[in-house]
């Protein structure tokens, strides 16, 4: 049943409030997914200063920070642990940080990489995880949340969303894809590497591949997904400059969008957005079946 929610802030004066807005959004969708949760946060300069990159991991060794520092002694490497997530930041290009972590900790599962984004996942009640992630303290311009009710795989952090691939693309998903195994094999044949067996990662990798290898924009890549993937789904996809919502042709998975001059938000339940500033002046609508909605910075 899973709950998904996110907000894209257009008004910079709201950036300091991102965390408090997201915290209340979790409360609005927690009933849809009580066993695990994850977040992707964009633009928080306390967590990720300018000119730094980040990598979030599961199953990282306890001395991961020391291992990375030994390889990047001048990169101001630091890290923290939040639930099952190990998070590393460094003053270096993201591709170099990814390469070093793969070299020094090949056993770690990388779950998020970016120059403007951090990702956390964990097992437990989403409200408890929100406190552990210090969600209420978050600042920035965009955030996305997933609360999970596991139905097809184990209750673990690996199965929690968002699935973040490439540099800064994150996807949360309510539903299932019936042909994900076939598409996974096609992407693997094209050189795409996977970090899990989850069908949601296949969707994220597919969109990322089309954007990075075919030069498509976010809207075009998601439309291609809609033509290729079979199943029932509502998707929220975010990048370092975009926010997009899509549903399958039957639209059986819930979704509500609220658009205001100062922000755009989406959630599985309206109650997750009822607290947003100016909600009474927002355009509120249910996304149409088979349609992709995209907003950019």
């Amino acid at each position: 049943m899973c709950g998904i929610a996110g907000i894209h802030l257009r008004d910079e004066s709201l950036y300091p409030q991102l965390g408090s807005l997201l915290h209340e959004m979790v409360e609005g969708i927690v009933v849809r997914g009580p066993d695990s949760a994850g977040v992707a946060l964009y633009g928080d300069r306390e967590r990720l200063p300018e000119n730094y990159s980040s990598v979030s991991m599961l199953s990282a060794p306890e001395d991961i920070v020391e291992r990375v520092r030994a390889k990047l002694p001048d990169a101001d490497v630091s890290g923290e642990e939040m639930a099952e997530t190990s998070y590393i930041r460094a003053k270096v290009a993201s591709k170099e940080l990814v390469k070093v972590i793969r070299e020094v900790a090949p056993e770690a599962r990388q779950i998020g990489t970016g120059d403007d984004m951090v990702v956390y996942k964990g097992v437990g009640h989403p409200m408890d995880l929100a406190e552990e992630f210090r969600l209420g303290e978050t600042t920035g311009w965009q955030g996305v949340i997933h609360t999970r009710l596991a139905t097809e795989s184990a209750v673990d952090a690996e199965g929690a969303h968002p699935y973040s691939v490439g540099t800064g693309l994150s996807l949360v998903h309510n539903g299932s894809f019936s042909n994900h195994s076939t598409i996974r094999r096609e992407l693997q044949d094209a050189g795409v590497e996977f970090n899990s067996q989850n069908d949601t990662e296949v969707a994220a990798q597919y969109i990322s591949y089309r954007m990075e290898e075919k030069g498509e924009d976010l809207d075009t890549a998601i439309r291609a997904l809609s033509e290729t993937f079979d199943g029932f789904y509502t998707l929220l996809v975010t990048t370092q400059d975009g926010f997009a919502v899509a549903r399958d042709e039957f639209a059986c998975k819930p979704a509500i969008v609220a658009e205001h001059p100062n922000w755009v938000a989406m959630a599985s339940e309206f109650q997750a957005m009822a607290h947003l500033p100016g909600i009474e002046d927002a355009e509120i609508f249910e996304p149409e079946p088979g349609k992709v909605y995209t907003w950019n910075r």
Side-chain angles (χ1 to χ4, degrees):
M1 185 169 72
C2 300
I4 59 180
I7 188 166
H8 173 100
L9 298 177
R10 293 164 156 170
D11 182 353
E12 292 187 11
S13 70
L14 292 174
Y15 289 8
Q17 300 179 44
L18 178 64
S20 61
L21 299 176
L22 288 171
H23 196 280
E24 291 198 48
M25 294 185 90
V26 176
E27 292 184 21
I29 59 170
V30 69
V31 296
R32 299 189 61 83
D35 59 40
S36 54
V39 297
L41 309 172
Y42 294 78
D44 189 327
R45 291 307 177 198
E46 290 294 321
R47 300 178 196 244
L48 187 59
E50 287 191 61
N51 301 317
Y52 282 66
S53 62
S54 72
V55 174
S56 299
M57 296 161 284
L58 301 175
S59 304
E62 292 184 0
D63 62 343
I64 182 65
V65 173
E66 289 73 20
R67 294 187 192 189
V68 175
R69 279 181 183 156
K71 290 288 186 177
L72 298 171
D74 301 318
D76 188 27
V77 177
S78 60
E80 58 185 335
E81 300 285 329
M82 289 192 175
E84 281 75 16
T85 302
S86 300
Y87 170 67
I88 294 282
R89 69 179 71 81
K91 195 173 184 179
V92 67
S94 56
K95 288 185 178 180
E96 184 173 358
L97 183 57
V98 167
K99 180 181 178 182
V100 167
I101 290 175
R102 284 178 175 168
E103 179 182 342
V104 302
E107 69 274 32
R109 288 182 176 269
Q110 296 188 23
I111 59 170
T113 303
D115 301 313
D116 193 35
M117 178 200 71
V118 299
V119 172
Y120 305 120
K121 298 184 183 185
V123 172
H125 194 278
M127 296 311 302
D128 295 335
L129 291 170
E131 297 301 322
E132 189 161 357
F133 298 155
R134 304 196 312 273
L135 186 61
E137 302 173 14
T138 300
T139 63
W141 62 273
Q142 183 169 265
V144 60
I145 308 158
H146 183 266
T147 62
R148 185 173 185 238
L149 176 64
T151 57
E152 297 181 6
S153 57
V155 177
D156 55 25
E158 180 182 304
H161 305 190
Y163 278 86
S164 182
V165 300
T167 304
L169 185 147
S170 293
L171 184 149
V172 292
H173 169 211
N174 179 20
S176 62
F177 298 113
S178 59
N179 62 337
H180 64 93
S181 295
T182 299
I183 298 169
R184 176 192 295 271
R185 288 192 295 270
E186 293 172 353
L187 289 171
Q188 288 174 326
D189 289 344
V192 176
E193 297 181 3
F194 285 82
N195 292 310
S196 76
Q197 296 301 313
N198 195 284
D199 62 339
T200 304
E201 187 190 358
V202 180
Q205 294 282 14
Y206 179 87
I207 294 170
S208 179
Y209 176 80
R210 295 196 70 100
M211 293 180 70
E212 294 184 8
E213 300 299 325
K214 296 181 178 294
E216 296 177 351
D217 61 18
L218 180 61
D219 187 85
T220 303
I222 297 176
R223 291 180 189 279
L225 178 145
S226 298
E227 296 170 358
T228 305
F229 282 66
D230 296 327
F232 303 100
Y233 57 85
T234 291
L235 304 178
L236 174 57
V237 188
T238 52
T239 66
Q240 294 189 164
D241 61 5
F243 184 93
V245 176
R247 303 174 84 189
D248 67 86
E249 293 285 351
F250 298 97
C252 62
K253 298 298 182 179
I256 300 292
V257 172
E259 183 168 8
H260 186 277
N262 296 334
W263 47 263
V264 178
M266 176 270 175
S268 301
E269 306 277 352
F270 174 74
Q271 63 187 4
M273 302 185 294
H275 66 288
L276 296 177
I279 186 66
E280 64 277 4
D281 299 319
E283 178 188 0
I284 300 170
F285 61 94
E286 182 178 354
E288 294 181 17
K291 187 171 181 178
V292 178
Y293 300 80
T294 308
W295 296 268
N296 294 296
R297 293 181 79 181

